Amino acid sequence: MSTATVQPLHLSPASGWQPPALDECAIDVLYDDVVAASRDRRRGYSQPALRVVLNSEETDPQFGPQATQTHLLPEPRAWLQRMAGALLECMTGVRSPGQIARWVSPLVYERVNARSVIAKRRGAHPLHRSLVRRVHVCEPDDGVIEASVVVQHDGRVRAMALRMVGVDGRWMVTAMELG
């Protein structure tokens, strides 16, 4: 075996490179960006989920979400009954909101998720399972369903209003109000 001599570590000084100085226009642009970002923070801006643009001039009509006629979709009354129960379970923290993400619009998802987070933070456990009592359906246009749902939730009878639109061969809840 040969013995090698250990050389001490040699540190070289850093080169004298420095970034170029900014001109006045670049400083103004950076300052405006910082001010705009701080203004957004003050308003409480956040983007918890990826936004999906459904009706915009920017989307390609051939590749964007496609409207679906009512006769090509599942029966709305039974679908609404299951979806209303699932929405209530998500809002009380019994079910994960991610399970309904495919069938609700981003805005509805954000609202349901926010209520779920609050329920989990409070440590709320529903005493009784939520029951859907009645579903009243109205069809204002082909591929659009508006419904009022009577639910029994935590010992109280409440009303829920839902609007569903046929998108890509499935129902999608685009609006929800819980009274």
Side-chain angles (χ1 to χ4, degrees):
M1 283 198 193
S2 66
T3 58
T5 60
V6 178
Q7 297 290 331
L9 182 63
H10 178 63
L11 298 175
S12 300
S15 66
W17 184 87
Q18 293 185 0
L22 295 174
D23 63 340
E24 291 296 321
C25 292
I27 292 172
D28 290 340
V29 169
L30 289 173
Y31 178 76
D32 291 342
D33 290 345
V34 169
V35 169
S38 67
R39 197 176 319 122
D40 287 342
R41 272 195 302 270
R42 279 195 304 264
R43 275 189 260 143
Y45 173 81
S46 67
Q47 185 175 352
L50 181 64
R51 285 270 185 205
V52 176
V53 180
L54 293 177
N55 294 325
S56 173
E57 294 80 29
E58 300 166 4
T59 59
D60 187 349
Q62 298 298 319
F63 295 103
Q66 300 293 315
T68 306
Q69 297 174 343
T70 304
H71 72 277
L72 299 173
L73 295 164
E75 199 277 314
R77 188 175 305 272
W79 196 91
L80 270 165
Q81 189 162 5
R82 289 190 305 270
M83 182 51 79
L87 286 167
L88 286 172
E89 289 174 359
C90 290
M91 288 188 282
T92 56
V94 174
R95 179 189 293 240
S96 169
Q99 293 180 7
I100 61 163
R102 181 172 188 242
W103 294 284
V104 297
S105 69
L107 182 62
V108 173
Y109 179 79
E110 287 176 15
R111 291 181 65 199
V112 170
N113 191 38
R115 290 184 77 154
S116 174
V117 168
I118 291 169
K120 287 179 184 177
R121 190 178 303 149
R122 288 183 182 162
H125 298 289
L127 300 174
H128 304 286
R129 186 169 183 254
S130 300
L131 298 173
V132 177
R133 295 286 188 188
R134 285 193 184 93
V135 177
H136 301 280
V137 176
C138 173
E139 187 175 349
D141 198 6
D142 190 31
V144 177
I145 297 290
E146 292 180 349
S148 61
V149 182
V150 179
V151 296
Q152 185 171 347
H153 176 66
D154 274 344
R156 294 174 53 195
V157 176
R158 303 176 82 175
M160 179 185 281
L162 298 169
R163 180 180 176 95
M164 299 188 316
V165 177
V167 177
D168 292 337
R170 68 179 188 271
W171 287 115
M172 178 179 276
V173 178
T174 57
M176 178 202 69
E177 291 294 327
L178 181 64

